[in-house]
Amino acid sequence: MMDRIKRLFTPKTPAEQSMPPYVAVTALLVEAALVDGVYVNIESDMIAEILVEAFEFDADKADALLSEAETLAEEAVGSHQFTRHAKKLPMDERVKIVEAMYRVIFADGEHDDVEEAYVRHVAGLLYVDDVQRAGARQRAREHANGAA
C-alpha cells in the first residue's frame, strides 16, 4: 500500500511521461542510432531527413524535435517507454517506423547483429510481424543503395 502511495508522488522522468507519438517515434530512431555505441552526424542527419519527410516539419522544427528526442533517449531505461506511445499509430505507420529505424542504422554504412536485434525487438513491441519487418528492411536497404 505504501509503495502505491509513493509511486503517486514520485516524479516521473520525462521519458515516462505522456508524449505525442511523433516524439516517441523520434526517440526510437535516436535509440536505434545509439544502440551500437556510436552516434555520428550521418545518423542524426538521417533522422532529421526522416522527420522532414514523414511529418513534413521544417528543418528548424525537425532539429528541435531531434534535440528533445536525444534527451529522452539518454534518460530512457528501455524502448517500452516509447513504443507504448508509438503503437497507438495505425499499423502502416508502425511499419514505416521500422523502415525508418533501418534507414537510420544503415546510414553509417555499418550494420551489425546488435542493431538488427534492437530493430527486431522494437518491431515486436509495435506488433509488426517478421514479414512486415523484412519488407521494411528491404525498402530501407533499397533507399540506402539508391542514395549511395
Side-chain angles (χ1 to χ4, degrees):
M1 173 100 163
M2 289 302 289
D3 287 337
R4 285 188 202 166
I5 294 171
K6 282 182 187 178
R7 280 185 288 193
L8 286 174
F9 295 104
T10 304
K12 294 181 178 182
T13 66
E16 293 173 317
Q17 295 175 1
S18 181
M19 67 185 72
Y22 63 86
V23 174
V25 168
T26 307
L28 287 169
L29 296 177
V30 171
E31 283 194 332
L34 290 169
V35 76
D36 64 356
V38 180
Y39 185 50
V40 294
N41 287 340
I42 196 164
E43 291 170 321
S44 62
D45 291 347
M46 177 57 70
I47 295 169
E49 179 182 319
I50 290 167
L51 295 176
V52 169
E53 288 174 9
F55 300 117
E56 298 177 2
F57 291 158
D58 62 33
D60 290 336
K61 186 166 183 174
D63 287 342
L65 180 57
L66 179 56
S67 179
E68 178 184 358
E70 288 169 345
T71 301
L72 289 170
E74 296 265 334
E75 295 172 350
V77 293
S79 302
H80 178 71
Q81 294 170 288
F82 305 121
T83 57
R84 69 186 180 105
H85 301 291
K87 70 183 172 188
K88 295 174 186 173
L89 296 169
M91 180 55 74
D92 63 322
E93 291 184 35
R94 288 183 272 154
V95 172
K96 288 178 184 177
I97 293 167
V98 174
E99 182 178 340
M101 291 174 64
Y102 275 117
R103 285 179 60 190
V104 170
I105 65 173
F106 292 157
D108 65 2
E110 297 180 22
H111 177 237
D112 62 31
D113 292 341
V114 173
E115 292 171 319
E116 183 67 36
Y118 176 76
V119 176
R120 276 195 322 269
H121 169 71
V122 172
L125 292 174
L126 294 174
Y127 305 121
V128 173
D129 66 33
D130 288 343
V131 172
Q132 293 166 313
R133 183 183 52 77
R137 184 180 194 275
Q138 182 62 34
R139 287 187 300 278
R141 177 67 72 196
E142 289 168 1
H143 186 275
N145 291 339

